[in-house]
């Protein structure tokens, strides 16, 4: 298998991971919340918990694959000092997104899953944190557009 094919596959894994991470964050922020508001409070909490659980379960795998594939491409191009500043900014934003994700899962999401009746405030916190992840993801995509013009 040629090096071109390998690095094309690494890039594809990276782009698919970003699509899941940013797209899923946008979906849970913009679509899920407004859709479940049509439900009564108890089923609303159940649907939100199941939605977040499924998204977060996938994101554990996607986050690792996305970070590792990004670092692999950086090292392939000569390391952090050799790539344009925009690439390093993208890495910083990805690390911020990863920290937000891990602290969200270990904090408010865990409390919501353990509560008999999760409060609306916990879901507001989850929504706010996924919105911040989505915003950072959008900034990362914009930064990527600038990195491609170097």
């Amino acid at each position: 298998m040629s090096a071109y094919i390998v690095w094309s596959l690494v890039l594809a894994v990276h782009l698919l991971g970003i699509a899941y991470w940013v797209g899923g964050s946008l979906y849970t922020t913009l679509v899920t919340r407004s859709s479940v508001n049509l439900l009564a409070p108890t089923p609303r909490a159940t649907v939100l918990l199941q939605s977040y659980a499924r998204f977060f379960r996938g994101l554990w795998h996607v986050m690792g694959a996305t970070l590792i594939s990004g670092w692999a491409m950086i090292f392939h191009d000569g390391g952090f000092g050799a790539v344009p500043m925009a690439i390093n900014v993208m890495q910083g934003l990805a690390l911020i997104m990863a920290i937000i994700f891990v602290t969200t899962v270990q904090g408010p999401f865990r409390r919501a899953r353990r509560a008999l009746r999760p409060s609306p405030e916990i879901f507001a916190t989850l929504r706010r944190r996924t919105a911040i992840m989505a915003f950072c993801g959008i900034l990362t995509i914009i930064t990527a557009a600038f990195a491609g013009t170097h």
Side-chain angles (χ1 to χ4, degrees), residues 90-128:
M90 288 167 42
Q91 178 208 194
L93 288 166
L95 290 173
I96 290 169
M97 291 170 65
I99 290 167
I100 292 168
F101 167 65
V102 170
T103 59
T104 299
V105 170
Q106 298 302 321
F109 181 66
R110 180 178 281 178
R111 285 193 307 274
R113 290 195 65 171
R114 290 182 177 172
L116 285 174
R117 292 188 184 140
S119 69
E121 291 80 26
I122 290 178
F123 290 116
T125 301
L126 290 170
R127 182 173 187 258
R128 201 169 28 256

Side-chain angles (χ1 to χ4, degrees), residues 23-123:
S25 296
L26 284 168
Y27 185 82
T28 58
T29 302
L30 301 174
V31 176
T32 305
R33 172 86 189 274
S34 59
S35 298
V36 298
N37 281 339
L38 302 171
L39 300 172
T42 302
R44 179 184 315 148
T46 302
V47 170
L48 283 172
L49 279 173
Q50 289 297 314
S51 297
Y52 279 113
R54 289 180 177 139
F55 172 55
F56 289 161
R57 191 176 311 123
L59 192 51
W60 274 116
H61 303 289
V62 166
M63 178 183 64
T66 303
L67 291 173
I68 290 169
S69 62
W71 291 328
M73 290 186 291
I74 288 172
F75 289 122
H76 175 70
D77 288 345
F80 295 107
V83 296
M85 180 54 92
I87 302 293
N88 290 313
V89 170
M90 288 167 42
Q91 178 208 194
L93 288 166
L95 290 173
I96 290 169
M97 291 170 65
I99 290 167
I100 292 168
F101 167 65
V102 170
T103 59
T104 299
V105 170
Q106 298 302 321
F109 181 66
R110 180 178 281 178
R111 285 193 307 274
R113 290 195 65 171
R114 290 182 177 172
L116 285 174
R117 292 188 184 140
S119 69
E121 291 80 26
I122 290 178
F123 290 116

Side-chain angles (χ1 to χ4, degrees), residues 1-10 76:
M1 188 178 294
S2 75
Y4 175 78
I5 293 173
V6 170
W7 290 108
S8 295
L9 291 173
V10 170
H76 175 70

